[in-house]
Amino acid sequence: MAQAYPYWYNGKWRCKQDKCRTSMSLDKARIWLDFNEFCELDSADGAPIYLFSQGDIVSDSAGKDVELREGMEVSVFDEDLGPENRPDPILAEGVVLRNTSSSGFLGRPQVKWLLRLKKCESRENAGSPYVYWLSDLE
């Protein structure tokens, strides 16, 4: 995860974590999620939960500041390569969760926010029901 640092935001000091900007084309501004930072499956429905951010403020792929809140829905991406080594970002939708004892993952107390992925509603893919690739939108 990227380092978090003090950041003046809306008239007070907050904690910001710069997320990855990308040169890959995306369908919209998205926040980078490291898909290697998996932490657990949701006990209710098996949805994957990932470590998401140490800070309350993150930057999206367009460089815009986004203030994270419990229950906030966000669009995420990770850089990936498709067939023939061509860029094909992994895309997903998720809900931001605060990393507390009720979320069940305290192994990384410096991580303030987790992300619970939502099932893809209208995409039929052979892989996970939680992720899709930019090429799936074409």
Side-chain angles (χ1 to χ4, degrees), residues 8-64:
W8 187 257
Y9 185 80
N10 286 341
K12 62 182 176 178
W13 285 102
R14 305 292 298 275
C15 185
K16 180 175 180 179
Q17 183 174 6
D18 283 328
K19 295 288 201 165
C20 176
R21 290 191 204 176
T22 185
S23 58
M24 292 181 163
S25 296
L26 297 173
D27 58 330
K28 59 184 173 182
R30 293 176 173 272
I31 301 169
W32 176 67
L33 171 67
D34 184 347
F35 278 93
N36 293 313
E37 294 283 347
F38 170 80
C39 59
E40 66 183 1
L41 296 174
D42 187 290
S43 60
D45 66 359
I49 298 175
Y50 291 85
L51 302 175
F52 192 49
S53 180
Q54 297 176 25
D56 293 317
I57 314 296
V58 296
S59 49
D60 67 17
S61 59
K64 180 181 172 194

Side-chain angles (χ1 to χ4, degrees), residues 9 14 19 39 61-63 71 84 86 99 102 124-125 127 133:
Y9 185 80
R14 305 292 298 275
K19 295 288 201 165
C39 59
S61 59
E84 301 173 13
R86 292 196 175 134
N99 185 13
S102 64
E124 304 266 339
N125 64 30
W133 284 260

Side-chain angles (χ1 to χ4, degrees), residues 40-99:
E40 66 183 1
L41 296 174
D42 187 290
S43 60
D45 66 359
I49 298 175
Y50 291 85
L51 302 175
F52 192 49
S53 180
Q54 297 176 25
D56 293 317
I57 314 296
V58 296
S59 49
D60 67 17
S61 59
K64 180 181 172 194
D65 286 341
V66 178
E67 183 174 9
L68 300 176
R69 298 179 314 277
E70 177 82 26
M72 176 183 198
E73 294 189 9
V74 295
S75 298
V76 296
F77 79 98
D78 198 0
E79 293 186 342
D80 194 25
L81 298 175
E84 301 173 13
N85 263 354
R86 292 196 175 134
D88 194 11
I90 301 171
L91 308 177
E93 309 299 322
V95 177
V96 175
L97 305 171
R98 185 175 293 276
N99 185 13

